[in-house]
Amino acid sequence: MDSSGKIFLNDLIARAEALLAAMSTELNKSNLPLPVIVRMINSVHQIVATWEAILADIRPTVGRNGADGEEEEEDRNPLLDATLPTANDSRQEGVGEMEKSSPVFEAPEVPLERYDLGQTGTGHITCVCSSTSDDEFYMIDQTVKGLQLAEVLKTLQNLDERLDVVPESATAVFGVRFEGTIMRAIRNKVDGEGEPCFIQLLDTGEIVPLDTSMELYEVPPFYARLAPFAVPCRLEGFEDSAFKAGDKRAFLGASLYETKWFQVVQVGRSRLIVWLGPLGDTMQIVQKEAAVPEPSYKISMDTLSPDQVEELNEEPLNTTNVMKAVLGYVPQDDRRICPFYDPAIEGCFKGSGCRLEHVAKLEDGWTRDKVPHKIKIRAEMEQPRVGSEMVLIPTFVVNVNEFYAHICLQKLSDSLIDMQSKLNDPEYTRDFKLLNHEPHFCELVFAKYAVDGRWYRAEVVEFFSLDRICVFYVDYGNRDTLKIDQLRYWDDRFDYLPFQAVHCRVANIKPLKQNHPEATDQFRRAVLDRGVKIHVLDNQTPWEVLIYDEDGEDIGEIMVMTKLAARRQPLVMDHAGAIPA
């Protein structure tokens, strides 16, 4: 190759290195969708396999002679190992070196005795162990009876007991937030100091390095004892015309994150030996009838009734922690307050080197922790000038002369739409915490609207019981009565937008009588969800306004003329004048 060709090839290699580094960075910092990850795996594997074949033709082949005197072709299509870490700074390490340092785990056993010879089903392949073997993988059996993985994961997302460090025991089951989802995991066995720490996800089989930024959680005993959903398997054979009969590694790599039909060929001590095929395949690989199992009296998820399973699912709601049961949370006084605090010196013997809080614990045993509730946000709506005119869009009518509305400005409308989208984005909603106390008056919360099932910003206005809580939707002006499980703690990330529901009162009319639904309905039909022009007489809440329709007619005067409202003198305060005694 001439010099120009080498320069061009080096430029391409530099571009490829930059692209792969960008892909690795995006993969580590973002929660990419599963189809995108599969496409990335397939494309990178194709590039790696192609260049390994080219380099094999360039380098002198060092092989071992076969029976016919020819050198046996070495395996030149190693797949990216889904069970080993791939740190950005260690992608060029040799496979043999990584295999020597493969982590060792003491994972709970999967009950393989529930499988019989010749049994068929469908399984979702979650992990391929390509670094240790060409035919070992993990799958989730989707035909197994009893508790399902989706139900367990749904409950695990409510864990709130955080762990500061990973458990020392290799058999302790804990929770870890991995790619946005809390999953059950265990750590590897460590023989000496300085040995790297890895974790294995029990319900997928994946092995990842422990990152200090990972959130760790304490798992309730019931879920810690629950057997893993990831079934370790060995591939006996497969039915797929796109691959050669013996190319198990390539078939498993292409089948990762796919659902396949399987048939049990043999039940091993720690793994199932299975045959895989496409969904709907009914061929029988094993022509031997499965032995009729003897009656088993062992209690398992398969022997429980639906009512018993439901009762077990409610176990995380209970706790043996008295503080948790009484207060709804665990006080952090012992962790936060220095135990060597001396009131005489207002500190401890460590001096300024102690980073704990120096304050005396309360003698009556009560915690100094405070759980403040939100009653005000930092953003406030700018008040209009008295005498100004503007366009509003009424969103809720309270009475014949009282309503809530949005200011008709495009930037406010776009901001509200964007905030509502974020408020119902799973990236944000997964962080919302369930309200675990009787809500306070005027406490700001996130409330679910029963009509569309979406979350909205709201304010608690009345509390009757845990099943009857009246809330006011601060961006629209309407109210609803909800249960405690339909409320969430406020998140300060949604403080940036002022409450959009502007409270207005028609200045020149009042109701003829206390309850007049006909007049309210007529006023609602005239203004609701329509752009109306107002003249501001007073900008103190509620705004005192005169309201006009699209033809410029005074709607208040029209209501008086149709005998649906009574005339009144506008209530306007002189804010610069003296206050009457």
Side-chain angles (χ1 to χ4, degrees):
M1 181 183 293
D2 57 8
S3 60
S4 61
K6 291 182 178 180
I7 294 174
F8 181 69
L9 181 56
N10 285 329
D11 291 341
L12 286 178
I13 293 175
R15 288 175 56 189
E17 290 176 346
L19 179 60
L20 290 174
M23 290 177 63
S24 177
T25 302
E26 192 67 26
L27 183 64
N28 291 331
K29 75 178 184 179
S30 305
N31 294 330
L32 298 178
L34 181 59
V36 175
I37 296 178
V38 173
R39 289 199 300 270
M40 292 173 66
I41 291 176
N42 292 335
S43 60
V44 174
H45 172 248
Q46 185 177 3
I47 295 174
V48 172
T50 303
W51 275 98
E52 282 182 340
I54 295 174
L55 293 177
D57 295 335
I58 298 175
R59 295 194 303 263
T61 304
V62 180
R64 53 184 185 276
N65 295 332
D68 52 359
E70 296 182 357
E71 292 185 347
E72 296 180 358
E73 182 181 7
E74 295 183 353
D75 187 1
R76 296 179 298 178
N77 294 300
L79 288 175
L80 178 65
D81 187 3
T83 65
L84 284 177
T86 56
N88 294 337
D89 56 351
S90 60
R91 292 183 179 272
Q92 303 299 328
E93 294 181 359
V95 175
E97 182 179 349
M98 295 181 69
E99 288 181 358
K100 292 179 181 178
S101 60
S102 298
V104 178
F105 295 90
E106 295 182 354
E109 294 184 357
V110 179
L112 300 180
E113 62 271 10
R114 63 190 178 193
Y115 293 97
D116 298 318
L117 191 64
Q119 181 176 335
T120 61
T122 58
H124 186 76
I125 299 177
T126 58
C127 178
V128 178
C129 311
S130 58
S131 67
T132 57
S133 175
D134 292 344
D135 55 2
E136 293 182 354
F137 64 97
Y138 287 85
M139 75 171 182
I140 298 176
D141 188 355
Q142 298 181 336
T143 54
V144 69
K145 297 180 181 179
L147 196 60
Q148 299 297 315
L149 176 59
E151 302 172 3
V152 174
L153 290 180
K154 184 177 180 181
T155 305
L156 292 179
Q157 307 317 302
N158 297 323
L159 297 180
D160 56 1
E161 292 290 339
R162 295 284 294 271
L163 296 177
D164 295 332
V165 294
V166 66
E168 295 183 359
S169 173
T171 59
V173 179
F174 57 92
V176 59
R177 188 179 293 278
F178 182 71
E179 295 183 353
T181 303
I182 300 179
M183 306 188 70
R184 298 186 302 157
I186 58 173
R187 65 166 298 167
N188 63 317
K189 294 178 63 177
V190 178
D191 296 332
E193 295 183 359
E195 189 172 342
C197 183
F198 298 89
I199 60 173
Q200 182 179 28
L201 305 181
L202 294 182
D203 299 319
T204 63
E206 296 173 278
I207 298 176
V208 295
L210 179 65
D211 191 346
T212 55
S213 62
M214 287 182 173
E215 299 178 3
L216 307 179
Y217 297 87
E218 182 178 346
V219 175
F222 171 75
Y223 290 95
R225 295 191 299 266
L226 197 62
F229 284 91
V231 181
C233 301
R234 177 176 291 115
L235 182 62
E236 176 71 16
F238 59 88
E239 181 69 19
D240 195 328
S241 58
F243 299 90
K244 296 180 180 180
D247 201 355
K248 299 179 181 180
R249 172 179 291 189
F251 171 76
L252 288 176
S255 303
L256 188 62
Y257 306 123
E258 292 185 359
T259 302
K260 295 291 185 180
W261 170 91
F262 73 87
Q263 183 176 23
V264 178
V265 177
Q266 181 182 347
V267 181
R269 296 182 59 183
S270 60
R271 289 184 180 271
L272 280 183
I273 291 84
V274 298
W275 185 284
L276 295 181
L279 289 178
D281 207 334
T282 56
M283 63 181 180
Q284 295 293 323
I285 307 303
V286 180
Q287 301 296 337
K288 179 180 179 180
E289 293 185 1
V292 179
E294 298 181 358
S296 175
Y297 299 99
K298 181 168 43 174
I299 297 177
S300 65
M301 298 303 298
D302 297 335
T303 62
L304 298 180
S305 65
D307 293 338
Q308 292 171 325
V309 173
E310 183 177 358
E311 183 178 353
L312 280 178
N313 292 342
E314 295 177 355
E315 182 175 342
L317 298 178
N318 303 324
T319 177
T320 57
N321 191 314
V322 178
M323 290 293 188
K324 177 92 173 176
V326 176
L327 299 178
Y329 70 102
V330 179
Q332 302 298 315
D333 295 68
D334 293 335
R335 179 180 299 181
R336 178 173 48 86
I337 299 176
C338 178
F340 306 107
Y341 171 71
D342 185 358
I345 60 175
E346 297 184 350
C348 70
F349 66 92
K350 298 180 182 179
S352 60
C354 183
R355 298 184 179 181
L356 298 179
E357 183 178 351
H358 292 102
V359 63
K361 295 183 180 180
L362 299 180
E363 296 180 357
D364 53 9
W366 284 97
T367 176
R368 284 187 176 271
D369 290 347
K370 295 181 179 180
V371 184
H373 55 276
K374 191 84 170 181
I375 60 175
K376 188 178 181 180
I377 64 174
R378 60 179 181 270
E380 296 183 358
M381 182 72 71
E382 184 177 353
Q383 301 298 328
R385 290 182 291 104
V386 174
S388 62
E389 294 183 349
M390 60 196 315
V391 178
L392 300 181
I393 301 178
T395 57
F396 183 75
V397 173
V398 181
N399 207 334
V400 69
N401 70 331
E402 186 181 0
F403 64 95
Y404 289 87
H406 286 167
I407 298 176
C408 190
L409 290 177
Q410 188 63 39
K411 64 177 183 179
L412 291 179
S413 177
D414 293 342
S415 298
L416 180 60
I417 293 174
D418 179 69
M419 187 201 66
Q420 282 299 139
S421 177
K422 292 180 179 178
L423 193 59
N424 291 274
D425 189 337
E427 289 289 330
Y428 291 88
T429 56
R430 72 186 182 196
D431 296 330
F432 293 171
K433 295 182 179 179
L434 184 68
L435 206 66
N436 59 1
H437 67 269
E438 294 183 1
H440 303 274
F441 177 68
C442 292
E443 180 176 358
L444 296 179
V445 296
F446 294 145
K448 184 170 288 188
Y449 189 43
V451 176
D452 57 10
R454 293 171 62 84
W455 294 103
Y456 295 90
R457 301 193 297 181
E459 179 184 53
V460 176
V461 292
E462 285 187 282
F463 173 77
F464 302 98
S465 67
L466 294 180
D467 293 332
R468 290 188 60 203
I469 304 171
C470 184
V471 298
F472 169 76
Y473 295 100
V474 294
D475 292 314
Y476 295 91
N478 56 321
R479 300 189 178 200
D480 199 0
T481 301
L482 305 175
K483 297 181 180 180
I484 188 69
D485 59 358
Q486 295 173 296
L487 304 180
R488 297 293 185 269
Y489 275 104
W490 183 271
D491 192 328
D492 290 340
R493 289 178 292 181
F494 295 91
D495 281 9
Y496 65 91
L497 186 65
F499 298 149
Q500 296 296 294
V502 178
H503 190 190
C504 299
R505 184 164 55 194
V506 184
N508 57 347
I509 62 173
K510 62 181 179 180
L512 281 174
K513 49 187 177 180
Q514 186 174 4
N515 187 16
H516 197 177
E518 295 84 359
T520 303
D521 291 341
Q522 182 63 33
F523 183 69
R524 182 182 295 110
R525 285 194 293 268
V527 302
L528 190 63
D529 295 330
R530 298 183 180 183
V532 295
K533 183 178 180 181
I534 66 166
H535 181 84
V536 181
L537 300 181
D538 188 18
N539 59 7
Q540 299 299 307
T541 304
W543 297 355
E544 290 283 340
V545 300
L546 297 178
I547 182 170
Y548 303 92
D549 60 13
E550 56 186 7
D551 298 326
E553 298 291 337
D554 189 328
I555 296 179
E557 289 294 334
I558 295 176
M559 298 296 291
V560 173
M561 289 176 11
T562 55
K563 298 182 179 181
L564 293 175
R567 193 183 306 275
R568 81 175 175 102
Q569 185 68 24
L571 181 60
V572 180
M573 294 183 62
D574 182 8
H575 301 288
I579 300 177

